[in-house]
Amino acid sequence: MGHLSTHVLDTASGKPAAGIAIELRRLADDGTGETIASDVTNADGRTDAPLLAGEALTAGTYELIFAIGPYFAKAGLTAGQPFLDRVPVRFGVSDPEAKYHVPLLITPWSYSTYRGS
């Protein structure tokens, strides 16, 4: 059974990023979309359950939006307007039976992502 999961790591501190709000959107061909799931990362920087699983995961384009600005503000690492506030990661699902894992590595000034396992 396919599923979509994520994991957020704070590479500035070397720890999982707990308390990050995540929004998952399914996008139409014209780029418009609808929010289909939302969650907050736990102490391990993950969501407690996959964001989508089984029949809910279909082929198409998705976007994860990570609210990292409030996370770094709470940690005292930004003052005023954060350099990065909401990080969008747009990706495609071609095989709904596969496992899709989208890790996000963050600092107050940069981010990186990849297809994990």
Side-chain angles (χ1 to χ4, degrees):
M1 173 172 51
H3 73 262
L4 170 65
S5 59
T6 190
H7 189 190
V8 185
L9 297 170
D10 177 350
T11 57
S13 70
K15 298 178 181 177
I20 301 239
I22 301 169
E23 178 184 352
L24 174 63
R25 297 174 51 81
R26 182 177 287 128
L27 302 180
D29 291 339
D30 65 1
T32 61
E34 67 173 310
T35 299
I36 58 172
S38 60
D39 209 336
V40 176
T41 57
N42 61 23
D44 194 35
R46 302 174 187 272
T47 56
D48 290 331
L51 294 166
L52 286 180
E55 293 179 4
L57 181 62
T58 60
T61 304
Y62 293 84
E63 185 174 60
L64 283 166
I65 303 170
F66 299 87
I68 69 169
Y71 168 81
F72 284 116
K74 186 176 179 180
L77 295 176
T78 58
Q81 181 65 35
F83 180 69
L84 294 172
D85 186 28
R86 291 171 48 94
V87 173
V89 177
R90 190 171 288 188
F91 59 97
V93 169
S94 59
D95 179 6
E97 297 297 316
K99 294 179 180 176
Y100 288 83
H101 184 65
V102 183
L104 185 69
L105 310 175
I106 60 171
T107 77
W109 313 277
S110 65
Y111 67 92
S112 173
T113 190
Y114 57 95
R115 182 172 176 187
S117 56

